[in-house]
Amino acid sequence: MSDYILVLDEGTTSTRAMLFASDGVLVASEQAELTQHYPQAGWVEHDAGEIWDKTLACANAVIPKAGGAAMIAAIGITNQRETVVAWDKVSGEPLTRAIVWQDRRTEPFCAELRDGGHEADVQRRTGLLLDPYFSGTKMRWMLDNVPEVSAAGDAGTLAFGTVESWLTYKLTGGPKDGSAHITDASNASRTLLMELSGAGFDPGLCDLIGVPHAALPEVVDMSGALAQTDKALFGTAIPITGLAGDQQAATIGQACLSPGQTKATYGTGAFVLTNQGASIPQSTNRLLGTVLTQIAGQRTYAIEGSVFVAGSLVQWLRDALGIVDVAAQTEELARSIADSGGVTIVPALAGLGAPHWRAEARGVITGLSFASGKAEIARAALEAMAHQTHDLAQAFAADGTAWETLRIDGGMSANDWMAQDLANMLGLTVERPGFVETTALGAAMLAAAGAGLYPDLASAAEAMRGKLTLFEPGMDDGIREERLARWRKALDAA
């Protein structure tokens, strides 16, 4: 019986193919690192051709572990959100490098729109703020600055899409006839170009940002019969039955399917989402509203807080400063000392996200002395995760969505010291699943439900989620307040 699920998990620093059994057990995984391009300060780019080539290679590496493509019931795709690919519909090839979600080059255009008085209306309609983070202004920048993109736009051959849209296009044979130019509702809700209450991209928002509606994909459900692969790729057509942006996928993978349930993913960045049910979120504390699920045309929503730098801070400590050889050493260093010795890090290496939204902010390390060493800096880096999350917790509470527990996942969450520090600083029970790669698991749940392996998403989540570990708070209030006071002072410096 073909009950395996192939998940393509296309992240910021790597792409993976992961083979799941229908009960959620990981059978095989193949991963390839992606080249990070930094043409100048604040710019981050990927090669969309490399993303496709490496994703396809990873898929071909794990498919034999299922016994061949005929044994795979469905494909689920989850992706780094907001990253934009521009390609030509005739050649099927990228027209320029993809602009990554972390990229800040469109801040002047965002400032122009804010100065024009557009932000309140845009936030009301899309749930988003006018920030370089989101996809629409990246598309506009490509049109204004890349001749190949503007020429394709004039010729009517331009296609824009986020990464799941690009991968689906290539998987379905692009540029062959019948290839799919689609995007799921969760990714579409991160573009500034779709109203949260609207079925597709909004012509008025497209005109405001300056993006041609004809270049955009069709907005579709996140689970169901969405597309199928070109037979030439794997020897047989495989249904694509699950699509989701990475943070929505992680929220689903954490089974946050009821209003009020909250998850935090600590990957390259840190992203907290609280299920809002059928109510369209309206934040007064600079949080975001986003589509959580769309199935059979019915949507649920989430309120979201996005932190730009989390695991990428540890990567920076490793690659740029040489403080650790591998990320796991941060836990050993943090445990080797009683405290950070007053060292505090504000990891604004790509600006500050929610709830501050300061694109111009830059990273700061305060409290250094001759007594400060690798351990103090590593511990301060991990403490910054709890400090940033505490800021988000306060904003969520001010919006009327105080957290009761926090479900954590992502690569950094495997660090027991950090998980306990979160519980201590938040004063909440922190819950971690045995399988922390819940982004991929959520895509598998969507695909399994979409392929009919389970009657609905809730049934898939119940069957596939697995065991949990709990971390209970246990910190003296005085220590918590002293750390938060240092954090607020360091934030002022950033």
Side-chain angles (χ1 to χ4, degrees):
M1 179 181 176
S2 57
D3 62 354
Y4 288 103
I5 303 146
L6 175 63
V7 169
L8 305 179
D9 181 0
E10 201 293 311
T12 306
T13 58
S14 68
T15 189
R16 292 184 296 181
M18 304 175 75
L19 185 68
F20 288 88
S22 60
D23 61 358
V25 173
L26 180 65
V27 176
S29 180
E30 185 75 17
Q31 182 168 345
E33 286 197 10
L34 296 175
T35 307
Q36 309 296 307
H37 299 276
Y38 304 104
Q40 62 186 67
W43 292 29
V44 190
E45 298 176 348
H46 285 164
D47 180 341
E50 180 191 22
I51 289 173
W52 164 241
D53 291 342
K54 289 188 173 180
T55 301
L56 181 61
C58 289
N60 280 321
V62 301
I63 285 173
K65 306 292 177 64
M71 300 303 294
I72 296 175
I75 290 176
I77 302 174
T78 183
N79 59 290
Q80 48 164 313
R81 302 176 305 172
E82 296 94 16
T83 296
V84 171
V85 181
W87 68 93
D88 188 275
K89 295 175 184 177
V90 176
S91 70
E93 295 304 314
L95 293 164
T96 185
R97 284 181 184 161
I99 300 181
V100 178
W101 61 272
Q102 297 161 308
D103 191 282
R104 311 304 291 169
R105 74 184 69 181
T106 65
E107 171 54 26
F109 179 50
C110 292
E112 179 184 322
L113 292 171
R114 289 194 297 268
D115 292 344
H118 295 291
E119 184 163 73
D121 183 59
V122 168
Q123 183 178 19
R124 179 185 60 81
R125 297 169 69 186
T126 69
L128 309 178
L129 299 168
L130 289 170
D131 187 88
Y133 179 25
F134 304 109
S135 307
T137 62
K138 295 175 169 64
M139 298 176 189
R140 170 65 182 273
W141 189 94
M142 289 179 172
L143 286 162
D144 288 347
N145 293 277
V146 182
E148 294 82 356
V149 174
S150 58
D154 292 340
T157 63
L158 173 62
F160 277 131
T162 41
V163 173
E164 92 298 338
S165 183
W166 165 243
L167 291 178
T168 302
Y169 172 77
K170 297 295 280 186
L171 284 166
T172 55
K176 293 180 182 178
D177 289 342
S179 59
H181 187 202
I182 60 175
T183 185
D184 71 277
S186 70
N187 277 292
S189 74
R190 311 296 296 183
T191 62
L192 288 171
L193 303 176
M194 186 184 81
E195 289 199 23
L196 288 178
S197 60
F201 293 112
D202 181 82
L205 289 168
C206 290
D207 288 345
L208 175 67
I209 304 298
V211 175
H213 194 276
L216 296 171
E218 176 190 1
V219 179
V220 300
D221 285 345
M222 297 166 62
S223 183
L226 307 177
Q228 62 178 13
T229 65
D230 182 15
K231 290 182 180 180
L233 279 180
F234 306 118
T236 187
I238 304 174
I240 300 172
T241 60
L243 294 174
D246 53 9
Q247 300 313 315
Q248 284 88 341
T251 309
I252 293 162
Q254 286 277 37
C256 293
L257 302 179
S258 298
Q261 294 178 324
T262 303
K263 75 88 200 178
T265 296
Y266 296 90
T268 300
F271 303 88
V272 180
L273 278 79
T274 296
N275 187 317
Q276 291 284 96
S279 301
I280 295 178
Q282 293 291 337
S283 173
T284 58
N285 290 276
R286 300 184 68 75
L287 300 175
L288 306 177
T290 196
V291 173
L292 177 56
T293 62
Q294 179 179 309
I295 300 174
Q298 298 298 308
R299 285 183 184 166
T300 64
Y301 298 92
I303 192 166
E304 174 174 342
S306 308
V307 169
F308 296 151
V309 176
S312 53
L313 176 64
V314 175
Q315 185 180 31
W316 179 73
L317 294 183
R318 181 194 69 189
D319 298 342
L321 301 189
I323 286 176
V324 294
D325 296 319
V326 294
Q329 288 177 333
T330 57
E331 178 168 357
E332 177 185 344
L333 288 169
R335 292 187 184 279
S336 71
I337 52 178
D339 55 52
S340 71
V343 177
T344 302
I345 296 178
V346 179
L349 282 73
L352 282 171
H356 311 288
W357 295 107
R358 297 292 295 271
E360 76 284 3
R362 290 294 176 263
V364 168
I365 304 177
T366 65
L368 292 171
S369 71
F370 284 120
S372 305
K374 290 183 177 181
E376 285 75 16
I377 292 173
R379 181 164 174 143
L382 295 183
E383 288 181 348
M385 302 306 115
H387 297 156
Q388 293 182 110
T389 307
H390 188 275
D391 283 355
L392 288 177
Q394 289 187 312
F396 274 76
D399 271 339
T401 53
W403 308 339
E404 294 182 6
T405 60
L406 183 65
R407 302 178 180 186
I408 65 170
D409 55 67
M412 282 194 82
S413 72
N415 185 314
D416 284 351
W417 188 92
M418 191 195 84
Q420 184 60 56
D421 194 52
L422 283 167
N424 289 344
M425 290 300 293
L426 296 172
L428 295 174
T429 299
V430 169
E431 187 179 294
R432 185 181 69 193
F435 183 70
V436 299
E437 299 297 344
T438 53
T439 298
L441 184 61
M445 291 173 180
L446 285 165
L453 299 180
Y454 293 96
D456 52 38
L457 184 58
S459 301
E462 183 177 0
M464 299 172 73
R465 189 177 181 217
K467 296 180 180 179
L468 305 172
T469 300
L470 302 182
F471 297 86
E472 301 292 348
M475 176 180 278
D476 180 81
D477 289 346
I479 295 175
R480 182 186 299 112
E481 289 307 313
E482 184 272 334
R483 275 183 49 182
L484 290 174
R486 281 194 284 111
W487 167 252
R488 286 189 284 267
K489 185 176 180 180
L491 265 181
D492 290 340

